[in-house]
Amino acid sequence: MNELTSKQRKILEKAAHKLNPVVIIGQNGVTDSLIKMVDATLQAHELIKVKFNEFKEDRHSFASDIAQKTNAALVSIIGNVALFYRQNENPEKRKFKI
């Protein structure tokens, strides 16, 4: 995924404000099944929040790893919540115009 501009990040952060975390990273950390779950959720929603209940000190490296493995953009990390975006491949199903 290409890097987002600061304007695009602001648009996505504003849209994500009302979202609840859909994926929670717990005691098992970043596993293959978690990556698959994030990938499927990005396919369905384009913009998701991932909450770190465990591994809070490693959230930046884990978030970068998740973004790389799912071909998503890491929009931001605020507290223990990371925001990811991946544009839908089908232009008719895209929810965000950035």
Side-chain angles (χ1 to χ4, degrees):
M1 176 104 216
N2 295 332
E3 286 296 314
L4 299 171
T5 64
S6 61
K7 186 175 183 179
Q8 290 171 326
R9 286 183 195 280
K10 291 291 181 192
I11 292 169
L12 292 171
E13 286 173 353
K14 184 177 179 182
H17 185 71
K18 62 185 176 199
L19 298 178
N20 293 320
V22 291
V23 177
I24 297 175
I25 297 177
Q27 65 186 9
N28 294 330
V30 179
T31 61
D32 289 337
S33 61
L34 183 119
I35 295 294
K36 289 177 185 176
M37 183 187 308
V38 170
D39 191 50
T41 308
L42 281 167
Q43 183 67 31
H45 299 287
E46 289 186 319
L47 182 66
I48 65 167
K49 284 184 179 179
V50 176
K51 184 173 183 178
F52 290 88
N53 279 350
E54 302 288 332
F55 304 102
K56 294 176 182 177
E57 63 281 349
D58 298 323
R59 66 186 178 272
H60 292 282
S61 62
F62 282 177
S64 296
D65 190 37
I66 291 169
Q68 182 182 13
K69 289 181 179 178
T70 60
N71 194 29
L74 176 60
V75 178
S76 66
I77 299 175
I78 300 172
N80 294 318
V81 177
L83 185 61
F84 295 95
Y85 173 75
R86 185 175 69 200
Q87 191 174 47
N88 197 314
E89 296 172 2
N90 185 346
E92 295 175 5
K93 293 184 179 179
R94 292 183 183 159
K95 298 177 183 176
F96 301 96
K97 307 288 185 209
I98 61 167

